[in-house]
Structures are given as C-alpha cells and as structure tokens.
C-alpha cells in the first residue's frame, strides 16, 4: 500500500467469475496428484471395455453404452471398487484431459460429458452415494479420533461432490452455441433441483445440513470448501442470478400494478466511475520509521489547518474533488473517532502532514462535470406524511394523521413541495407485502386463505424454516474461521480438512506452496459464503419481506455486523491485490501443459492481474450484505456506530472500484447523523462523495443529524416489533396445526371418542395398571354429577 496511487480497477461485478476460473477453484493444489489418479482409473477400465479406441473417437451411442456400464459399477458392495468407478466418472466430468491438446478442449469436453452424464441419471446415482457417505458413522468416528485430519479422510466425499459440482456448473452456464436439447436438459435439471419429487427435501437443504453437521463437530472430515461452492452454485442455478432477479422484480411490480423501476441498478453502477481516495504516504517503511516525528509535526500544524481546509474547499468549487487527489491536507483522516479503534487500523490518519509532491497536484486528465445525478431520487409515503405533519403543525397548529391529500391552509410553496415529493414517490414490493400481511392479520376470516406461489424460493424457505438459525450460525462460524483477520484459536473450527496433505511438507518450497494453498482455500470459502448469503437475502426479500427479515434478524443475532467489520479491519488493498494462486497448477492448465519445475520465485510470482477477482467480489458481497442488514434499521445503524465502523469503512474507499465505493458510501451515509458535527466537519471529502454517488432521498437530512426517527429509546422496541411480525407471519403461513380461536369445535361424542390417538409404544404393557390406578380405584361421586345437572 506504499504506492502513490491505486489504479482504477477494471473489474466487472457479476454472478460468478469466468467459467474456467470457477472450475479451477474447486481443486486445491494438494489435490493435483489425484487428477492423474482419476485418469488411470478411467483408462484401466476403458481399455478393457473399448480396446484401441479413444473416448473422443466414440460416437454418441457408444459413449452412452460405456457410461451406463460405469453406472452399473456404482451398485457394487465393495467400497474400493465403487470409488474407482466414481473416479472414472469424475475424469469424464473433468473433460478427458488425457485426449485433449489445449485448455479450451478440456473445458468443451467437460461440458459435453456433464450433459451426457446428467441425461443418463448420474446425478441421482451420486446423490444416493452422497447420502450414504453423510450417514457413514464409521468415517465420522474415525475422523473424530484422529489428532490431525487430512485429505485422505474425505476422499470419497470429495470425489462425489466434485462430480456433482462439475455437472451443476457446466449445465448452469449458458452459451450461444448450445444445442436445443441442452437447453431442455438445463431446465429439467433446474426443476429437479428446485422442486424435489416424492415430498423429499430440496438438494440445497442436504448441503445446509452438511454445513451444520460439520460445525457441530460431528463430522470434521467434511470437505467444507466443496460443499459451500456446490451450495452456492445450486442456489445460483435454482433461484437465479442478479439479472434474473432484476427481471423477476420488474415482473412482480407489473403484477402488483406498481409503476416500473426508475432504473436498473446494475447498469447504473457499471456506468459509474471510481473516486480517487485521499492521498497516502509514498513509502510505508518511511512512515513507520518517522511515526514519532510525524505526531509532533501534526500537533505543530494544527494552527494552520483552517487555512488549508479553506484552500481545499475553494478547489472543490472549481473542479470535482474526486477526479484527482489534492496534496497538502487530507482533512478526512484527522478525526477523533478513528483514533479510538486499534492503532494499526489506518495509515491515512497520518497523511495530513505529508508534503504533497508537485506531480500529484496536477490533474492527469481534464475533469468533466457529471451531466446529472446517477440515481433517480426516491420518496417514501412516510416521508410525505412527516413533511405534511411538520408543515401543518407549523402553519395551522394541528395535524390530520396520514392524510396526504388535504392541503387547505398551507402556503403555496408547501403545495409545490408536496407535488414534487409525490412525483418521486416510490412504493416498493415490500410495502405492498407488509400492508397485505397487516390486512390478513386483521381479517383472517373474511380474506380467507392466502394464495402462495410455489416458486423455488418459497420451497427452499419452507424447507429451511425450522433450522434456519442453525444454518446462519454455522455459515458465520465458517466465515469467521476463514477471515484473514481471525487469529488461530484452539476452539475455532478446522476448515482445512480438505487442503492439508497426509504428510506435512518438509522443504521450504513445499511449505510455501501449502501456505499459498491454505490462503487460497480460505479466500474461496469467503467468496462462496458471501455470495450465497447475498443471494438468499435478495431472493427472500423479493419473495416476501418477512422471509428476508427472518434471515436478517438471525444473521444480526449471530453477530454478522461485527464479523463483517472485523473482516474489513485489515489492509484491504493488500487483500484485494493478494496473489494466492499458482497459475501453472490451476485446472485445466495443469492437465494439458508440461509443468515447469517450481521454484520460490515462480511461486511468489502468481498471476499478472492488478487485483484478485474473488477477493474483490467477496468484499463487495459483504458490503452489500451489511447494507441489507442495516438499511432503515436504526438499532443496527447504531451497531455500526458503536463498533466504530467509520474509520474501517473509510479505509475501504482506497479501492478505486465504483461498486465497492458506492456500498461503502451508503454505509457511511446512514450513520453520518450519529457521528457528530466534528466528524462531518473533518470529513468533507467523504460527504461530497456521498452527495455525488449515493441516491438522494428528499427531506432526508442525513448530513445534519435532525432525524425524528433517530430516538435512542425506540431501538429495542423496533427489533421486538419486527420479531413479533415475523413470528406472526411464519405461524400464519407455515404452522400446520390450526389451533387458532377460529377453529371449529368438535362437540360430537362419537367423533371425539372415535379419534385415533397416538399412544406410546409401551402403552399395551401398562394399560391394565393405568386402568386400575386411574379408573377402578377412583371412587365415583354420583352426587357431583347430579349437582352438575
């Protein structure tokens, strides 16, 4: 982070990375020898069945016949033979790389074979084997007894999960050249994963169960990275990615009779430019050596700060401050809030005293003013009501409740203001859902049963509902263990079961390779958890607001907010530019190219990209999750303030990527009113960036702290009310026994006595004793019966 400036990052946010990169992340570098093992298993069997031929030379019918023979081999009792057949199938799914000349061919055949395998029922067969392995108590107890778990403990599970992942990922990804039968196949597979037959649970629920079983300590040998990657891709496939979500949102608004969306948020963000972060030191080492001198200088410079600030603000009026950095003063960074957190947090606090280099003062390119705001302003119904309430109180001395039509007695400018507010009024799908829910609670008899659309999202929520808190806690536990800022603790879960080799490294080179592999492994886990949590939140919010609130509340209760802040409490530029990859060992490169001899230099070299795609993707996902959890929730916004998130978030602005900066600025905007006047005064650049990049909400005085909603005594009540609403929704829609006060009473003697009761298994052994004690030995008081008459 010692460079003068961070370049603009040419990063395009999407559902996932490139197809090859996503397949490569399935394998750790310690698994590389197993690729040739899979090939041997396939070729030994293939030579006995089809001598003197290659897989690529077979026609479709011959390939099908061979795969059917392999699937028959999965039925055998012998565990080792089953594993060899599963490895042969995995080699087919990996793209028969022994017959290919380049990486493109491997990826092509991997897709072709995945469709072939699915059409012949391979996924169902592997699902049965996976269920058997999950229930394999012998493997669990053996893993629990071992002092150190390694790759060898999860061999069968890794092979099964790898085949399933390759099939899901290859079939999920659409390409223009796909034949029509593949498109049909894709839809069938999506339906199979979304809507299970015979009232079974959806496939995603099985994977969630694996996650909780792993976190509870009962199955420490589960290969968690593969499970999480597969779970993420299954959710992405069945629920749909960001573009599908946008289309569903547009369709749902049409159905509800709401006006169309003012813009497509993904497209708007893609068109935004990143802002330059405040200047920082030329040399990190120099700053560390001169820390004491700098603090003295800082005290000496205080008297001159107002003059410098004025200079900076004058420059603001001439040109856009975010297109280039002003040298001299960085007024954002010298604030008291920041110094309250750990000393290692920010080097930017010391930047105010660094003399600017002449080159930095000159703008590199001519600054052009933006033509308009990037976002259409939005106004809520509540905002109009608050505005009219204040205006009526001021001008006529009384209010009319929620009436937004009557403007009698109010001056002309107020009429104009209300007209403008109504022009930009935005009614969300959530508002309609909350209103419907209130009506259903009030009038359950007259409104009758609610029609619930059977979407993949609805099926998943219903299946997850009763164990949802455990799923969220388990995911956050793994995220904590994988976060780079986490210290190794004895009680933390071991997420390295599927990356550590049986024999630990003995040379420095092997240790370096394993170190890179472990870091990469953790990064991939963070990527998959952040992506799947964001997908769940977005889809549940569209499906029903209270489903989203239920997941959100359990994430908040499980300390998700401080966990994400802890994640960002690191040198974020180092994390985003981390080179934890060895490109020559990545699949499919390692399968078709001759591997050079690895040296310390080649290991350290990594790839030539200016950033690590998965790490930047993870950061944006986590910021989006944090935004979703805190938006319109004052109690959770106060958590951001209490955990001193402002300096942590400000440091993330150093990353010159528009989408990441937007979500950081949104998080800073919602808490600005609580940070005090002094913070706002000394962070004018951040305030300007918020005005430029974040959506304007009329009447929102976020920059001044006069919000009437921000009353501290309401915070606890807010969460409790929300929880009561969620519980009412869940019990109304998902609780099967209707023991409500509206249920009809059965007072017919014959039907009551004729009901079949579930009796305990041992009842027939002891019922005579029970009759003797409870019936025969009890005197019957006939006179009491006469009195009742």
């Amino acid at each position: 982070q010692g460079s003068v400036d961070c370049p603009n990052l040419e990063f395009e946010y999407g559902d996932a990375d490139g197809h090859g990169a996503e397949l490569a992340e399935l394998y750790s570098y310690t698994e590389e020898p197993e690729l040739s093992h899979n090939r041997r298993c396939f070729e030994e069997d293939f030579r006995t069945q089809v001598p003197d031929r290659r897989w690529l030379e077979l026609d479709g019918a011959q390939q099908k016949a061979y795969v059917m023979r392999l699937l028959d081999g999965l039925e055998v009792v012998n565990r080792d033979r089953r594993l060899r057949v599963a490895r042969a199938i995995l080699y087919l799914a990996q793209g028969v790389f022994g017959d290919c000349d380049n990486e493109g061919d491997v990826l092509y055949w991997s897709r072709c074979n995945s469709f072939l395998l699915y059409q012949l029922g391979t996924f169902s067969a592997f699902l049965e084997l996976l269920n058997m392995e999950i229930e394999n108590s012998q493997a669990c107890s053996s893993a629990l007894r071992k002092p150190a778990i390694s790759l060898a403990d999860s061999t069968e599970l890794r092979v099964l999960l790898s085949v399933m992942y390759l099939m899901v990922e290859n079939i999920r990804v659409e390409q223009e050249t796909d034949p029509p039968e593949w498109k049909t196949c894709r839809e069938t597979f999506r339906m199979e994963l979304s809507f299970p037959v015979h009232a079974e649970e959806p496939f995603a629920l099985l994977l969630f169960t694996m996650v909780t079983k792993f976190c509870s300590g009962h199955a420490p040998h589960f290969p968690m990275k593969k499970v999480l990657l597969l779970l993420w891709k299954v959710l992405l496939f069945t629920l749909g990615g960001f573009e599908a979500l946008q289309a569903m949102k547009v369709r749902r608004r049409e159905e509800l009779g709401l006006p169309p969306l003012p813009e497509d948020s993904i497209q708007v963000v893609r068109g935004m430019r990143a802002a330059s972060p405040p200047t920082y030191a030329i040399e990190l080492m120099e700053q560390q050596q001169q820390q004491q001198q700098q603090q003295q200088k800082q005290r000496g410079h205080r008297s001159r700060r107002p003059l410098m600030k004025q200079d900076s603000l004058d420059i603001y009026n001439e040109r856009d401050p975010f297109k280039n950095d002003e040298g001299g003063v960085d007024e954002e960074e010298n604030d008291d809030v920041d110094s309250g957190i750990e000393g290692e947090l920010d080097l930017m606090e010391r930047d105010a005293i660094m003399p600017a280099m002449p080159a930095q003062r000159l703008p590199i390119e001519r600054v052009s003013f933006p033509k308009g705001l990037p976002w259409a302003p939005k106004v809520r119904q509540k905002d109009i009501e608050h505005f009219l309430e204040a205006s009526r109180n001021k001008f006529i001395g009384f209010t009319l409740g929620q009436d937004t039509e009557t403007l009698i007695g109010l001056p002309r400018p107020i009429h104009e203001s209300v007209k403008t507010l109504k022009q930009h009024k935005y009614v969300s799908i959530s508002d309609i859902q909350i209103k419907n829910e209130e009506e259903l609670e009030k009038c359950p008899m007259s409104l009758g049963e609610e029609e619930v659309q059977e979407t993949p999202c609805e099926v998943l929520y219903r299946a997850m509902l009763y164990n949802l808190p455990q799923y969220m806690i388990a995911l956050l536990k793994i995220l904590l263990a994988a976060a780079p800022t986490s210290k190794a603790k004895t009680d933390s879960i071991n997420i390295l079961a599927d990356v550590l080799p049986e024999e630990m490294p003995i040379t420095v080179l092997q240790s370096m390779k394993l170190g890179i592999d472990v870091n990469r492994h953790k990064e991939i886990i963070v990527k998959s958890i952040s992506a799947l949590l964001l997908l769940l939140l977005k889809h549940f919010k569209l499906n029903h607001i209270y489903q989203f609130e239920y997941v959100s509340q359990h994430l908040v209760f499980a300390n998700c907010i401080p966990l994400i802040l802890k994640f960002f409490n690191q040198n974020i530029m180092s994390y985003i530019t981390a080179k934890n990859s060895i490109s020559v060992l990545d699949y499919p490169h390692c399968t078709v190219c001759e591997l050079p001899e690895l040296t310390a230099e080649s290991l350290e070299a990594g790839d030539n990209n200016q950033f690590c795609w998965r790490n930047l993707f993870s950061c944006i996902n986590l910021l989006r999750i944090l935004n979703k959890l805190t938006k319109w929730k004052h109690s959770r916004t106060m958590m951001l303030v209490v955990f001193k998130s402002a300096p942590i978030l400000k440091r993330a602005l150093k990353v010159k990527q528009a989408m990441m900066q937007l979500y950081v600025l949104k998080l800073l905007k919602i808490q600005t009113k609580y940070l005090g006047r002094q913070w706002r005064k000394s962070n004018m650049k951040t305030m300007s960036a918020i005005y430029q990049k974040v959506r304007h909400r009329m009447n929102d005085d976020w920059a001044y702290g006069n919000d009437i909603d921000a009353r501290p005594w309401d915070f606890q009540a807010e969460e409790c009310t929300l929880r009561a609403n969620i519980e009412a929704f869940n019990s109304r829609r998902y609780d099967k026994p209707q023991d409500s006060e509206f249920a009809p009473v059965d007072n017919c003697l014959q039907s009551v006595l004729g009901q079949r009761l579930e009796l305990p298994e041992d009842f027939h052994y002891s019922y005579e004793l029970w009759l003797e004690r409870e019936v025969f030995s009890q005197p019957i008081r006939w006179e009491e019966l006469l009195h009742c008459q």
Side-chain angles (χ1 to χ4, degrees):
Q1 207 167 330
S3 60
V4 173
D5 196 5
C6 160
N8 279 306
L9 303 183
E10 298 298 324
F11 170 83
E12 189 163 312
Y13 184 77
D15 294 322
D17 202 348
H19 186 52
E22 290 295 339
L23 296 186
E25 288 180 354
L26 178 64
Y27 314 103
S28 57
Y29 297 141
T30 43
E31 281 181 283
E32 188 206 340
E34 294 191 14
L35 291 168
S36 51
H37 188 181
N38 299 340
R39 180 180 174 180
R40 274 199 309 277
C41 290
F42 172 81
E43 287 179 348
E44 284 168 14
D45 184 77
F46 191 70
R47 274 199 296 270
T48 60
Q49 302 291 338
V50 192
D52 306 323
R53 298 283 295 280
R54 294 164 67 212
W55 173 260
L56 308 189
E57 293 167 1
L58 303 184
D59 60 28
Q62 291 169 321
Q63 288 181 346
K64 280 182 181 177
Y66 178 69
V67 171
M68 291 303 285
R69 273 202 295 269
L70 279 180
L71 291 176
D72 288 342
L74 290 176
E75 304 288 330
V76 296
V77 177
N78 186 302
R79 191 180 169 85
D80 290 335
R81 281 184 62 194
R82 268 208 318 267
L83 180 60
R84 290 182 69 78
V85 172
R87 281 192 181 282
I89 293 172
L90 175 55
Y91 175 69
L92 283 174
Q94 284 169 341
V96 286
F97 48 81
D99 296 353
C100 297
D101 300 323
N102 56 53
E103 294 176 36
D105 286 353
V106 177
L107 294 176
Y108 170 76
W109 280 104
S110 180
R111 288 196 82 217
C112 287
N113 292 344
S114 294
F115 278 97
L116 174 68
L117 289 169
Y118 172 69
Q119 286 161 350
L120 297 175
T122 311
F123 194 85
S124 308
F126 271 70
L127 184 54
E128 284 181 29
L129 292 173
L130 182 63
N131 275 308
M132 279 168 53
E133 278 303 322
I134 292 168
E135 299 303 322
N136 186 345
S137 53
Q138 190 181 346
C140 292
S141 56
S142 148
L144 285 166
R145 284 196 302 272
K146 286 192 176 182
I149 299 171
S150 69
L151 275 172
D153 297 291
S154 59
T155 305
E156 286 88 352
L157 277 168
R158 281 186 296 106
V159 170
L160 298 175
L161 289 165
S162 295
V163 171
M164 294 170 106
Y165 177 86
L166 288 166
M167 288 174 72
V168 168
E169 181 62 6
N170 280 319
I171 295 173
R172 179 188 74 83
V173 174
E174 294 182 41
Q175 291 183 2
E176 289 178 6
T177 54
D178 288 355
E181 61 268 22
W182 283 14
K183 290 178 182 173
T184 316
C185 187
R186 182 177 295 117
E187 283 312 304
T188 313
F189 193 22
R190 182 185 279 126
M191 295 296 282
E192 186 183 313
L193 291 173
S194 307
F195 303 104
V197 287
H198 312 308
E200 294 168 0
E201 58 190 18
F203 178 54
L205 200 76
L206 177 69
L207 299 173
F208 272 118
T209 312
M210 287 184 78
V211 173
T212 48
K213 200 171 176 185
F214 171 80
C215 284
S216 65
H218 297 312
H221 65 299
F222 280 3
M224 234 346 86
K225 183 189 83 175
K226 285 182 168 53
V227 173
L228 290 166
L229 278 172
L230 180 55
L231 176 55
W232 166 38
K233 291 302 168 62
V234 166
L235 292 178
L236 190 57
F237 187 29
T238 54
L239 304 181
F242 299 130
E243 286 182 14
L245 255 167
Q246 187 71 11
M248 284 156 68
K249 198 172 180 181
V250 168
R251 199 164 57 247
R252 189 68 62 86
R253 288 184 71 82
E254 277 177 18
E255 287 167 7
L256 294 171
L258 294 171
L261 289 165
E263 71 272 300
D264 181 345
S265 51
I266 294 173
Q267 295 306 321
V268 173
V269 175
R270 280 179 185 162
M272 289 172 77
R273 288 188 56 189
S276 292
T279 51
Y280 33 88
I282 300 159
E283 286 297 330
L284 184 60
M285 293 302 293
E286 233 175 75
Q287 278 205 323
Q288 287 173 341
Q289 289 163 6
Q290 297 174 6
Q291 189 175 354
Q292 295 299 320
Q293 297 168 22
Q294 288 170 357
Q295 286 171 353
Q296 289 166 11
K297 281 184 192 175
Q298 202 166 6
R299 284 194 286 274
H301 274 236
R302 286 228 167 113
S303 58
R304 276 180 277 170
R305 275 185 74 84
L307 188 64
M308 289 180 177
K309 263 188 192 166
Q310 187 58 52
D311 178 48
S312 292
L313 289 171
D314 288 344
I315 293 166
Y316 289 178
N317 295 331
E318 291 166 24
R319 60 174 179 260
D320 182 351
F322 282 85
K323 298 295 186 286
N324 70 305
D325 293 323
E326 303 309 327
V329 169
D330 182 2
E331 62 276 273
E332 283 190 41
E333 301 310 325
N334 190 15
D335 57 57
D336 298 328
V337 180
D338 297 11
S339 57
I341 206 138
E342 297 150 88
E344 65 186 19
L345 274 192
D346 204 354
L347 292 168
M348 291 162 75
E349 268 110 2
R350 301 194 289 276
D351 294 347
I353 51 79
M354 291 300 291
M357 292 174 66
Q360 283 176 268
R361 279 199 167 278
L362 297 169
I364 297 164
E365 58 188 62
R366 186 163 181 78
V367 173
S368 58
F369 285 107
K371 295 236 173 9
L373 298 170
W375 306 98
K378 281 183 182 177
V379 178
R380 296 181 298 167
Q381 176 70 15
K382 198 174 168 186
D383 298 331
I384 302 173
E385 287 167 12
H386 283 163
F387 175 72
L388 277 169
E389 188 178 359
S391 303
R392 285 172 185 143
N393 265 329
K394 183 177 178 181
F395 292 107
I396 52 181
F398 65 88
T399 61
L400 297 174
Q402 295 180 335
D403 183 345
T404 58
E405 300 303 320
T406 310
L407 302 176
I408 296 163
L410 296 173
R412 191 78 203 151
I414 299 295
H415 286 237
E416 293 295 325
S417 300
V418 172
K419 185 182 171 187
T420 308
L421 288 173
K422 285 184 176 176
Q423 273 176 356
H424 293 96
K425 181 180 166 184
Y426 176 77
V427 180
S428 67
I429 295 169
S430 304
D431 295 337
I432 302 286
Q433 289 170 341
I434 290 169
K435 198 174 172 186
N436 289 347
E437 201 56 36
E438 284 171 0
E439 287 172 4
L440 282 163
E441 282 293 317
K442 276 182 198 168
C443 321
M445 298 295 279
S446 58
L447 291 174
E449 281 289 312
E450 179 194 16
E451 276 189 39
V452 182
Q453 236 181 331
E454 197 75 347
T455 60
C457 192
E458 183 64 32
V459 170
L460 181 65
Y461 182 79
R462 199 166 53 234
M464 287 176 69
L465 180 61
Y466 295 106
N467 291 316
L468 197 137
Q470 289 92 302
Y471 299 147
M472 295 304 115
I473 290 167
L475 287 171
L476 293 183
K477 266 188 182 178
I478 299 170
L479 185 60
L480 176 64
T485 49
S486 294
K487 306 288 182 286
K489 291 178 185 167
T490 49
D491 59 339
S492 64
I493 49 177
N494 175 22
I495 53 168
L496 305 177
D498 52 331
V499 72
L500 296 176
E502 282 185 89
E503 295 173 7
M504 291 309 281
I506 46 173
T507 67
V508 174
L509 198 64
Q510 287 173 338
S511 299
M512 282 177 70
K513 181 182 161 187
L514 183 59
I516 291 170
D517 207 2
V518 165
N519 289 338
R520 174 178 176 267
H521 182 79
K522 288 181 175 179
E523 288 171 3
I524 294 166
I525 287 176
V526 171
K527 171 187 170 181
S528 52
I529 291 178
S530 66
L532 76 88
L533 281 177
L534 181 62
L535 267 182
L536 281 177
L537 287 172
K538 285 187 80 69
H539 276 282
F540 285 153
K541 188 172 185 184
L542 183 59
N543 201 50
H544 199 289
I545 183 65
Y546 285 137
Q547 295 177 350
F548 161 80
E549 295 292 8
Y550 188 53
V551 177
S552 298
Q553 207 161 53
H554 281 294
L555 285 172
V556 172
F557 293 161
N559 281 335
C560 184
I561 292 174
L563 170 54
I564 294 176
L565 293 173
K566 179 183 172 72
F567 179 89
F568 280 97
N569 188 10
Q570 59 170 312
N571 186 332
I572 207 72
M573 277 304 300
S574 297
Y575 185 70
I576 278 168
T577 55
K579 295 278 193 285
N580 288 315
S581 60
I582 308 166
S583 46
V584 291
L585 295 182
D586 279 338
Y587 169 90
H589 184 275
C590 64
T591 59
V592 288
C593 300
E594 199 64 42
L595 293 184
E597 192 178 342
L598 290 178
T599 62
E601 290 73 27
S602 65
L603 287 182
E604 284 177 341
D607 52 36
N608 299 320
N609 296 333
Q610 60 173 165
F611 59 88
C612 174
W613 197 96
R614 65 172 162 266
N615 289 357
L616 189 45
F617 178 70
S618 303
C619 288
I620 293 173
N621 287 341
L622 290 170
L623 287 168
R624 293 183 77 183
I625 291 166
L626 202 50
N627 262 294
K628 289 216 165 293
L629 297 181
T630 51
K631 192 176 180 182
W632 305 120
K633 306 283 191 306
H634 296 292
S635 53
R636 298 176 194 175
T637 305
M638 282 307 292
M639 286 176 80
L640 292 177
V641 179
V642 168
F643 290 120
K644 296 188 175 172
S645 65
I648 296 171
L649 291 168
K650 265 173 28 188
R651 202 162 56 256
L653 286 173
K654 288 181 180 178
V655 181
K656 286 179 74 174
Q657 204 284 321
M659 193 165 197
M660 182 158 167
Q661 287 184 343
L662 172 69
Y663 287 105
V664 171
L665 292 170
K666 279 186 172 189
L667 286 164
L668 285 168
K669 178 185 174 180
I670 60 173
Q671 58 178 312
T672 301
K673 60 171 79 97
Y674 304 111
L675 295 175
R677 189 180 167 198
Q678 184 55 44
W679 188 91
R680 296 195 290 273
K681 189 178 166 188
S682 55
N683 285 274
M684 286 309 295
K685 278 189 179 181
T686 306
M687 302 289 276
S688 295
I690 292 170
Y691 271 113
Q692 278 187 345
K693 301 208 177 290
V694 182
R695 188 191 301 279
H696 287 246
R697 289 193 175 267
M698 297 176 181
N699 288 7
D700 180 8
D701 58 349
W702 61 271
Y704 307 104
N706 302 323
D707 193 349
I708 57 168
D709 284 343
R711 290 171 293 195
W713 54 85
D714 284 345
F715 290 158
Q716 203 167 358
E718 182 186 57
E719 287 288 350
C720 290
T721 309
L722 180 61
R723 192 170 189 181
N725 289 340
I726 294 165
E727 284 175 358
F729 164 76
N730 282 336
S731 65
R732 182 187 64 74
R733 198 187 266 197
Y734 301 107
D735 280 359
K736 289 288 174 262
Q738 295 292 326
D739 295 333
S740 69
E741 56 190 300
F742 304 111
V745 177
D746 185 358
N747 47 21
C748 171
L749 188 65
Q750 276 187 320
S751 70
V752 170
L753 291 175
Q755 283 177 5
R756 291 189 64 81
L757 293 175
E758 289 293 324
L759 298 168
E761 287 178 11
D762 59 344
F763 181 76
H764 65 279
Y765 295 121
S766 57
Y767 81 98
E768 289 179 347
L769 188 66
W770 179 84
L771 278 172
E772 186 63 43
R773 191 178 65 238
E774 299 292 333
V775 181
F776 302 145
S777 64
Q778 295 291 333
I780 300 169
R781 298 187 180 87
W782 297 106
E783 66 279 4
E784 283 187 21
L785 280 173
L786 292 169
H787 287 313
C788 291
Q789 293 294 325

